[in-house]
Amino acid sequence: MSNPIIQKIDSALSDAGAKLLNAVTEAEIEEVRIEILGRNGLFPALSKEMGAVQPEDRKAVGQAFNTGRTRFQELLDGAKQRLAAGSGAKSCDELDLTLPGRLRKLGHKHPVTKVIDDSVAIFRRMGFIVADGPEIETVYHNFDALNTPADHPSRDPGDTFYFKDGRLLRTQTSPVQIRVMESQEPPVRIVAPGRCFRRDTPDATHSMNFHQIEGLYIDRDVSLADLKSILQAYARELFGPNVSIRLRPHFFPFTEPSVEYDFSCIMCGGKGCNVCKQSGWLEIAGAGMVDPNVLKAVGYDPEIWSGFAFGMGIERIAMIRYRINDIRLLYENDTRFLEQF
Amino acid sequence: MNISYNWLSQYVDISCGVETLAAKLTMAGIEVEAIERSGGIPEGIVVGEILERKQHPDADKLSVCRVSNGKEELQVVCGAPNCDAGSKVPLATIGATLTDKSSGESFKIKKSKLRGVESHGMLCSGRELGLDDDHSGLLILDSALKTGTPLAELFPGDTMFELEVTPNRPDWLSHWGVARDLACLLDKDAALPEIKTPVPAKNEDTANLVTVLDQELCPRYTARVIRNVKVAESPEWLKERLLSIGLRPINNVVDITNFVLMELGHPLHAFDLDKLSGKRIVVRRAADGEKMTMLDDSKLALKPNHLVIADAEKPVALAGIMGGLDSGVTDSTVNVLLESAAFFTSNIRASSRELGISSDSSHRFERGIDWNMVETASDRATSLILELAGGELVNELVDIQGRKPEFKPVVCRFERIRKLTGVDLSNCRIVDIFKKLRLDVSGIDEIKCVVTPPSFRLDIEREADLAEEVARINGLDAVPVVPVTSKSVASFSKDAYTGLQGLRDELTALGLYECLHYSTVSDKSALSDSRFVSEDVIRMDNPLSLDLVCLRPSLLGEMLATVERNISRKNLDLQLFEIDNVFCGNPQKFPEERLECCIVLTGHKHPERFSAERGELYDFYDLKGLTEAWFAARGIEKFRFEKAEDDRFAPGRCAAVMIEGKCAGHIGELNSRYSTKFRSVYPIFLGVFETSAILKAKLESPLYSPLAMFPSTTRDVAFLADQSLQHQAVVDFIRGARLKNLEKVELFDIFTDEKAVGAGKKSMAYTLTFRSSERTLTDKEVNEAFDKLREKLSAELKVELR
């Protein structure tokens, strides 16, 4: 049991503290000051009782007396400052909890960036590193090395932007595959997000500027099963554990076998709805086993190395994920749009 | 390409039904893009026999008929002029539902009264049943039909599939081609009707009939002459076939060539022999400037890179692409020359693209055709012409062949197939798939087999191509999902993306919204950044529109467009950034591609707050503070702001941001020449940074400094100074005085007021914090230091202490 003087100080501090916190006028503060420090206040009274304190308690009581007085002065000063700053419940006793809070809000990443960030994070967890390449590309990297025939329609100036010097704006992120393989020995395990360009007239689903993320894995004994597994893992990480994946045979010059891959519709779960056109599946993008000609073009021996590549449109994923129905919204940068993500 | 369900069913058993078929095709790589059902007579419509026709008592145009439905006699009121007794016509019985094809509206047949006379059904026209467009009267049916037969049995509906055929598989561009692959997928047999080589009735001299002058571009040309044909309308079955895939019937000979094209995938052309000058064919390159009018009336000026089918004088067809206007088969044609040929794919593709003409024929020739089908298609079409248009074949097949394409055998190692596909298939299963695909398999042993593709499989050249076939036919659904493993990681080092991601994280944490703009911009937008002149800008050779011809040299132009757009939409409070590639064509100024970072602040800082804070507007110091906080968060320590003049900013309101002595960008108030057109009254603050300068700045790893143990003491000093005295000069001066135990110097007030402090003067007030790490300071020692400083300020900095 502590000394009664210490008890008095403690209880006076807590009473006065509460009063000061709720004080809304200078007069209220002054009232408390007089009650504690005034000539007939608590501390002058207590100082008279100090003489009667037992010697063994004297040190502790003296300390409590001093710190109590200092603490009390701090409380008084704090209350005065609070009033001077004009804050606090000056004219009402209760807080209005519905008033807007004052913490500065965080900003917003663009939905395209969010999808890229999340995709990169997922692929990094699966051991991929991020590579990049230039947006102004050579015909060699964008087409030739990717086994695209010389008269392939995608090379047409109607589809691809060219420059006077013969170079082009890359139409896909696939040239990054070539640049990476040219610069290092296998194995390779990369993803390459980036901007691509096609000479498409803009509408609700087409944009001449868009983003892709490319994936490439070259190693010994890489199979279609590895491709399917990685894409399924990605789909589930991004869209949830119930998403399934479907591969369909397709054709691309730079892969053989080539596939297109679909995710089960995230709206209806595969039952069929308007978004998936009743099919239960959402077409995502293309992939396949890297064509032996592509491996040869970069000096990899297709007898030793095999691998898969995939690419997907970021805008497409973002539009599915956030239910955005017009790609042009992504490039308008209306802040009412941006702050939704 | 369109295919018809009924047509397809002629070659392979597809009783599995439309849905299953569509799914099979899609999963086999022939994507079904659309399914369109047609025909299909609804239930409740039967063959009715009109037993008796009477005039309606109260309506001139209506008749009252007694009609048999095979079981009973019904009274039906009919408005058609041809509801004569004895005719067999479609009878929609009560309960049947008809759909108007044009409006899509359905209606149900009910017992009704027409002008007081009961009617127990409806007699139908062809249009009412969706069978044709005839609405002039009832559809008169064959009188031999049994009354009461459901019409659905007589007019089975059809389903048209719109297929997306990938360019590597031209063999799928026909009903037979699709049937051949389907047989394998459905595990059924596929067979063509027997096609015999027609026997000529005569043996005319054909020595000069065909001359091929360029065998590289035309490696095979065959021709047959059929004389005395009767060009007429095609029989129903043939018209139906063409209509079922959306082709318009023309006449029997032309329809047959189109039918064979869609059946076998090989394009044919029928010439009117009598319109060919010299009655002969010359396959040659066009002369430079040679003119020709096409079937569709377009006029072409040709060049020597275009291959033409000519007669003795002039081109009569653009080889493999389209026939000429005057040489085709018309109603007056008597003698036909039937062409079946092979052309060099690349040449057809180039010509088709260059001349802007494509056709079903060029679509196939540019992808590649089946060499062996050249003859088979001619056989098939000739037989059909003889059968349907009469006439007589007067020669053996003229067949001029150049170099035949080679089909090289491909070695297939079973283990390799398993490794590529990831599916554990037996050797037998693999061989079985090849055989079902009609690939020739030989040399089978434990580890491999040798596969020779047939003439219709132009896509099989390598082992990987065979792996694709195995994966496809075995089904990609059978590819297992295995645990994700990585036997190797190529690199552990930090990639460029990590840096960018960090910057974006930091700027969003500082409250900014990220924007994304087109890289392709207008000249005006590109040159809005005064650092660049027209020659610095990289321009596309073939822009989509003249509006978007440049690659942006800076983020500024589009960012300002976004600011303007937002302001016009009353989004007045903006805090925006973008980090992305910009381009420069002048290597003296910048590298071709580099990353820039652009920041904009304008409007209210805290529009969501209440009271006085609500009105606070962004100013220069917010942007400066944001920059400082950003750099501090990154660990950049060696940076400062220097006065700068830059045309993008308002005069005197710009700072260069220097990192380690090098300029990393500028911040300041936007030059009003940009903003005057914006409908905003608030100043706009702009920051433009070289992203690489920020990413490459030396980052100081924080070192722990011990937390102060002893209390601090503060002293305030206020003074009047000239307007020109800068804050940093004061801080530097105080620091320079090397006061003992001085911990912090903080500005706490600054103001100008002509009355209070005088013109050209300002009042500045600082708090100095003193602290020792070893003991509590005494008032005395702090006062000594502080007084010394006051003296120095007054004497050396020439300020007027208050």
Side-chain angles (χ1 to χ4, degrees), chain A residues 10 32 41 72 101 112 130 160 176 205 215 224 232-233 247 265 280 291 302 336:
Chain A
D10 284 349
V32 178
F72 187 75
V112 164
V130 185
T160 299
V176 181
T205 55
L224 265 181
Q232 175 166 304
L247 305 184
C265 181
D291 194 283
R336 293 165 300 174

Side-chain angles (χ1 to χ4, degrees), chain B residues 252-266:
Chain B
N252 50 9
V253 175
V254 174
D255 291 353
I256 285 166
T257 59
N258 283 333
F259 171 80
V260 173
L261 168 67
M262 294 302 171
E263 180 185 52
L264 302 178
H266 192 80

Side-chain angles (χ1 to χ4, degrees), chain B residues 251-310:
Chain B
N251 61 48
N252 50 9
V253 175
V254 174
D255 291 353
I256 285 166
T257 59
N258 283 333
F259 171 80
V260 173
L261 168 67
M262 294 302 171
E263 180 185 52
L264 302 178
H266 192 80
L268 302 168
H269 192 69
F271 293 99
D272 184 331
L273 184 62
D274 299 311
K275 288 182 191 154
L276 299 180
S277 166
K279 297 204 164 52
R280 56 188 296 246
I281 288 288
V282 181
V283 184
R284 59 168 170 87
R285 287 165 179 268
D288 203 1
E290 201 165 18
K291 296 213 165 34
M292 173 172 193
T293 306
M294 309 308 295
L295 260 180
D296 61 1
D297 226 18
S298 58
K299 293 178 175 56
L300 301 181
L302 301 172
K303 286 188 286 188
N305 54 318
H306 304 134
L307 186 73
V308 295
I309 312 298

Side-chain angles (χ1 to χ4, degrees), chain A residues 67 79 95 137 144 157-158 174 210 215 221 237 253 257 289 306 319 322:
Chain A
T67 54
L95 287 174
E137 258 299 358
D144 298 345
S174 308
F210 62 100
D221 300 334
E237 286 290 307
M289 304 304 294
S306 63
M319 289 169 79
Y322 303 116

